Each structure stands twice: as C-alpha cells, then as structure tokens.
Amino acid sequence: MIDWVPIAFLTFKVLVFGTCMFFAIKWHYDQDKKTMDKRALLVTAAKVGAAFLVALAVVLWFTFSLARHLGMDLSLP
C-alpha cells in the first residue's frame, strides 16, 4: 500500500511554491512598470544590506557562544 503522506505534502508544496512564484513574478512585473527614484532605491538597498550584516553577526555570535557553552574546541590547528 502507498504511503499518502509524502504525496500529499509534495502536492501541497508544489501548489504553495507555484502560487508564490506566480505572485512574485507578477509583483516584479508590476514594479517594473513603475518608475522608482534612484535615491530611494539606493537607500533601501543600503538598509537591507545593513540588516543582513547585522543578522549575520548575530547568528555568528550565537553559534560561537553556543559552541563555547557546549565545550567545543574552536581553536584552529
């Protein structure tokens, strides 16, 4: 007998990703029709980049502090 759980989850995953991709492509297509101010675009890109770097630093700090707390040796040979 076939296990239906993977088939149901795969079908759900395909439907969700397909819907999300459709709306993402539609949103980008609609945004392309608008004219955007270059200064606003650069400011937004800088904010997103800064947020990414802060998130990366927090994840690295959390990873190394957890590893140190668990007693892992983090020194290079």
Side-chain angles (χ1 to χ4, degrees), residues 10-40:
L10 183 65
T11 305
F12 178 73
K13 185 177 181 178
V14 167
L15 288 173
V16 168
F17 282 154
T19 304
C20 291
M21 286 177 62
F22 170 76
F23 283 114
I25 291 169
K26 181 182 180 309
W27 182 81
H28 281 90
Y29 180 75
D30 291 343
Q31 291 297 316
D32 192 33
K33 289 182 178 179
K34 290 183 183 178
T35 57
M36 185 170 230
D37 183 24
K38 290 233 183 220
R39 184 174 183 273

Side-chain angles (χ1 to χ4, degrees), residues 1-75:
M1 180 149 193
I2 295 177
D3 189 16
W4 290 100
V5 173
I7 295 171
F9 282 141
L10 183 65
T11 305
F12 178 73
K13 185 177 181 178
V14 167
L15 288 173
V16 168
F17 282 154
T19 304
C20 291
M21 286 177 62
F22 170 76
F23 283 114
I25 291 169
K26 181 182 180 309
W27 182 81
H28 281 90
Y29 180 75
D30 291 343
Q31 291 297 316
D32 192 33
K33 289 182 178 179
K34 290 183 183 178
T35 57
M36 185 170 230
D37 183 24
K38 290 233 183 220
R39 184 174 183 273
L41 180 64
L42 289 173
V43 168
T44 303
K47 286 180 184 178
V48 169
F52 176 76
L53 289 176
V54 168
L56 180 65
V58 168
V59 167
L60 283 173
W61 173 80
F62 177 73
T63 302
F64 281 104
S65 64
L66 180 64
R68 197 174 309 117
H69 177 71
L70 294 174
M72 295 180 182
D73 184 19
L74 300 176
S75 62

